[in-house]
Amino acid sequence: MKRGGRKSGLAWLLAGVLTAGMTAAAWGEVPESLTQAQKLYNEGLFAEAIELLTGLAETPDLGNSNAKSVYLLLAKATAGKSFLDQAEE
């Protein structure tokens, strides 16, 4: 049973290559961005850290280890921002 012929197969192959390339690029940026988010957190720039971490959380194929790090730091930054906001009030 032939599905879509040669053109269809080529389209799927090209889509797979492009998706793999984008995923690899996005994944390669995660550790670097996570380090930057940690620096922002350490400097007390919680809102900036939250913004960066929220974007990281949406990265395709984040992986379990990176996801744990992103969500843990996101929780800490959110708590830090909340305490800072309360202190300013």
Side-chain angles (χ1 to χ4, degrees), residues 7 15 17 21 24 34 43 54 60 64 66-67 69-70 74 84 88-89:
K7 287 183 181 179
V17 168
L34 192 52
E43 293 172 4
T54 301
N64 288 340
N66 284 330
S69 298
V70 166
L74 182 56
L84 185 62
E88 287 176 354
E89 286 179 16

Side-chain angles (χ1 to χ4, degrees), residues 13-28:
L13 177 63
L14 181 58
V17 168
L18 291 174
T19 303
M22 290 187 304
T23 302
W27 182 84

Side-chain angles (χ1 to χ4, degrees), residues 50-84:
I50 291 168
E51 183 177 334
L52 180 56
L53 291 162
T54 301
L56 283 174
E58 296 172 355
T59 302
D61 299 329
L62 188 57
N64 288 340
S65 179
N66 284 330
K68 287 178 187 177
S69 298
V70 166
Y71 288 117
L72 177 61
L73 188 54
L74 182 56
K76 290 169 51 176
T78 301
K81 184 177 182 316
S82 177
F83 291 134
L84 185 62

Side-chain angles (χ1 to χ4, degrees), residues 28-45:
E29 295 170 5
V30 169
E32 191 174 303
S33 295
L34 192 52
T35 299
Q36 179 62 30
Q38 181 68 51
K39 286 179 185 178
L40 291 169
Y41 173 81
N42 291 345
E43 293 172 4
L45 300 172

